[in-house]
């Protein structure tokens, strides 16, 4: 009877020792495998169906980052190191998710992107054309319920310390559009316009308002000229044209050429005479407005989008100065490639099913397609098919159709320069 007991104990000792060794090795230092690779183009896509931010590396899905549902805006920092996903306003909490893109545009070095932090707030905004305003090296989030610009320290976003970098008082609550420029003396100025119709020029060093204008009712959308010397805001009654430095001139309100107003302004083209050419439009318009800036002279003309007798209504627009092209996606499902100086139609091709003009985008979530222009192609999100298209710059060829699923809407491009 004692023999079996002895055998059991003998066998148990090696097993216990093996278990101890396994546990010890589990905590030993191991060689780390680098997660780094080269990427020419990293594209971030917001999925309005799930809230995910889908990351495409050179057209291939790399990652899906979970953020709260119903994103309305997606923006990148000027250096491309951070991205911001802002939730739509259909609940009592408007989340701002801050993403470390893990991408270096100067080298093309890429690693795995990740959610750095999420801020639960109310009525955050300020995104225009895929960017947040950057003030003295800090990011600005518009707190539209309080009329303040919350500044964030980019160096603190991916760490544990506070990213709070102070606030700038804007005035009354409302939806704001921002344009950052440089004054004649080299100081940084922030032009801030609200839907209430007021614009203010703020010295970012002191936070003081040095000029204001109340002639822009229903203000929505703005941009600076290529030189940065002039700022344009889209009002319900016309385009407000203001000197970047208010000490160098006075602002003027230029009427629209048609009865339809604009809500977005895009800069980036220069004609043969060296004049800045900007473009302005608004959802569902059958034309885009060409703004020609010749010194102090501003001329606005309407460029029809219709092709023959076929009506075209604007849905999404982008301007690329490098290729000299203006891109317009229409509700009818066509991509128009136009000359960015004259507006002349160069090519039109169908890229998606038609959308109803009655399907208007609200502040609940994004539903419209978006355009991102790269050096050798454009990217186009197609929400209804869950697809992101890669199209040649001239619009001739569909280079790739990537099925990402869900409802892809907003796009942010990072590219190795």
């Amino acid at each position: 009877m004692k023999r079996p007991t002895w055998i059991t104990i003998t066998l148990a000792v090696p097993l216990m020792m093996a278990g101890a060794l396994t546990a010890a090795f589990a905590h030993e230092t191991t060689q780390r495998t680098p997660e780094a690779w080269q990427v020419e183009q990293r594209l971030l896509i917001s999925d309005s169906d799930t809230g995910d931010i889908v990351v495409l590396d050179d057209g291939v899905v790399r990652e899906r980052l979970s953020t709260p549902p119903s994103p309305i805006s997606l923006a990148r920092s000027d250096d491309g190191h951070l991205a911001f996903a802002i939730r739509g306003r259909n609940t009592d909490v408007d989340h701002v998710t801050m993403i470390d893109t893990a991408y270096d545009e100067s080298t093309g070095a890429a690693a795995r992107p990740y959610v750095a932090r999420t801020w639960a707030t109310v009525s955050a905004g300020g995104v225009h054309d895929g960017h947040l305003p950057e003030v003295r090296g800090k990011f600005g989030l518009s707190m539209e319920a309080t009329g303040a610009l919350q500044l964030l320290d980019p160096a603190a976003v991916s760490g544990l310390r506070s990213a709070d970098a102070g606030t700038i008082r804007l005035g009354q609550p409302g939806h704001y559009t921002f344009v950052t420029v440089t004054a004649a003396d080299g100081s940084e100025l922030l032009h801030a316009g609200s839907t209430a119709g007021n614009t203010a020029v703020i010295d970012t060093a002191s936070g003081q308002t040095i000029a204001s204008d109340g002639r822009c009712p229903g203000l929505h959308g703005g941009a600076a000229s290529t030189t940065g010397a002039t700022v344009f805001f889209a009002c319900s009654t016309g385009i407000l044209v203001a000197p970047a430095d208010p000490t160098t001139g006075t602002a003027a309100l230029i009427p629209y050429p048609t009865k339809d107003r604009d809500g977005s302004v895009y800069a980036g083209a220069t004609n043969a005479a060296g004049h800045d050419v900007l473009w302005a439009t608004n959802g569902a318009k059958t034309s885009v407005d060409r703004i020609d800036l010749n010194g102090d002279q501003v001329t606005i003309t309407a460029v029809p989008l219709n092709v023959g007798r076929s009506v075209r209504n604007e849905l999404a627009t982008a301007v690329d100065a490098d290729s000299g092209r203006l891109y317009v996606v229409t509700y009818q499902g066509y991509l128009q490639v136009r000359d960015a100086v004259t507006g002349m139609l160069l090519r039109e091709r169908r890229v998606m099913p038609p959308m109803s003009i009655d399907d208007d985008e609200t502040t609940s979530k994004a539903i419209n397609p978006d355009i991102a222009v790269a050096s050798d192609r454009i990217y186009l999100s197609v929400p209804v098919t869950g697809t992101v298209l890669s199209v040649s710059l001239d619009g001739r060829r569909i280079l790739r159709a990537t099925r990402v699923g869900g409802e892809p809407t907003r796009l942010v491009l990072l590219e190795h320069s």
Side-chain angles (χ1 to χ4, degrees), residues 182-200:
T182 303
D185 62 2
S187 61
E188 185 182 77
L189 301 178
L190 177 69
H191 286 244
S194 76
T195 49
N198 302 315
T199 64

Side-chain angles (χ1 to χ4, degrees), residues 146-207:
T146 60
L149 185 67
Q150 173 65 52
L151 302 180
L152 302 174
D153 181 0
V157 168
S158 296
L160 291 177
R161 65 187 178 92
S162 173
D164 185 354
T167 59
I168 294 177
R169 299 301 306 175
L170 301 173
Q172 63 195 102
H175 179 68
Y176 278 84
T177 298
F178 302 96
V179 181
T180 305
V181 295
T182 303
D185 62 2
S187 61
E188 185 182 77
L189 301 178
L190 177 69
H191 286 244
S194 76
T195 49
N198 302 315
T199 64
V201 184
I202 300 170
D203 182 333
T204 62
S206 65

Side-chain angles (χ1 to χ4, degrees), residues 60-312:
V60 178
V61 176
R62 169 72 66 181
E63 204 79 71
R64 292 179 185 269
L65 306 177
S66 179
T67 75
S70 305
I72 186 67
S73 298
L74 185 63
R76 54 160 286 172
S77 60
D78 285 347
D79 63 12
H81 291 163
L82 295 171
F84 300 81
I86 302 178
R87 190 184 187 191
R89 301 178 186 180
N90 56 347
T91 66
D92 58 348
V93 180
D94 305 329
H95 297 84
V96 179
T97 301
M98 306 174 200
I99 297 167
D100 191 311
T101 67
Y103 187 73
D104 188 337
E105 287 190 307
S106 64
T107 65
R112 291 199 175 277
Y114 59 91
V115 172
R117 66 172 73 193
T118 295
W119 180 29
T121 183
V122 178
S123 71
V127 177
H128 175 68
D129 201 22
H131 287 79
L132 285 170
E134 297 196 19
V135 176
R136 301 183 69 81
K138 306 296 189 293
F139 303 117
L141 278 167
S142 175
M143 300 289 98
E144 297 183 351
T146 60
L149 185 67
Q150 173 65 52
L151 302 180
L152 302 174
D153 181 0
V157 168
S158 296
L160 291 177
R161 65 187 178 92
S162 173
D164 185 354
T167 59
I168 294 177
R169 299 301 306 175
L170 301 173
Q172 63 195 102
H175 179 68
Y176 278 84
T177 298
F178 302 96
V179 181
T180 305
V181 295
T182 303
D185 62 2
S187 61
E188 185 182 77
L189 301 178
L190 177 69
H191 286 244
S194 76
T195 49
N198 302 315
T199 64
V201 184
I202 300 170
D203 182 333
T204 62
S206 65
Q208 298 299 309
T209 297
I210 60 175
S212 60
D213 198 313
R215 294 179 295 165
C216 192
L219 185 153
H220 193 285
S225 61
T226 304
T227 61
T230 310
V231 174
F232 301 81
F233 284 117
C235 319
S236 62
T237 53
I239 297 288
L240 184 67
V241 183
D245 185 341
T247 65
T248 63
T250 58
L253 185 64
I254 311 298
Y256 292 119
T258 69
K259 61 181 180 61
D260 295 321
R261 65 155 297 170
D262 291 321
S264 297
V265 184
Y266 305 91
T270 306
N271 67 13
H275 305 168
D276 276 352
V277 176
L278 296 89
W279 295 91
T281 188
N282 205 27
K285 280 183 63 170
T286 58
S287 63
V288 288
D289 287 337
R290 180 182 181 274
I291 306 170
D292 187 299
L293 175 62
N294 179 12
D296 295 331
Q297 192 71 29
V298 179
T299 305
I300 305 178
T301 54
V303 176
L305 297 175
N306 296 347
V307 178
R309 296 183 179 181
S310 300
V311 176
R312 301 286 185 261

Side-chain angles (χ1 to χ4, degrees), residues 347-414:
R347 181 170 299 277
E348 180 183 79
R349 67 171 301 146
R350 184 179 288 280
V351 290
M352 65 182 213
M355 288 183 61
S356 172
I357 296 179
D358 296 329
D359 294 337
D360 194 21
E361 194 170 82
T362 68
T363 56
S364 295
K365 69 172 186 177
I367 65 170
N368 290 341
D370 197 8
I371 306 169
V373 184
S375 60
D376 62 347
R377 68 193 65 207
I378 70 166
Y379 291 96
L380 172 65
S381 61
V382 185
V384 69
T385 62
T387 305
V388 174
L389 299 180
S390 173
V391 186
S392 61
L393 290 175
D394 59 9
R396 290 178 180 272
R397 295 173 295 141
I398 302 293
L399 304 175
R400 184 196 292 260
T402 304
R403 175 74 179 174
V404 298
E407 192 178 0
T409 51
R410 303 292 194 255
L411 302 177
V412 158
L413 175 70
L414 311 172

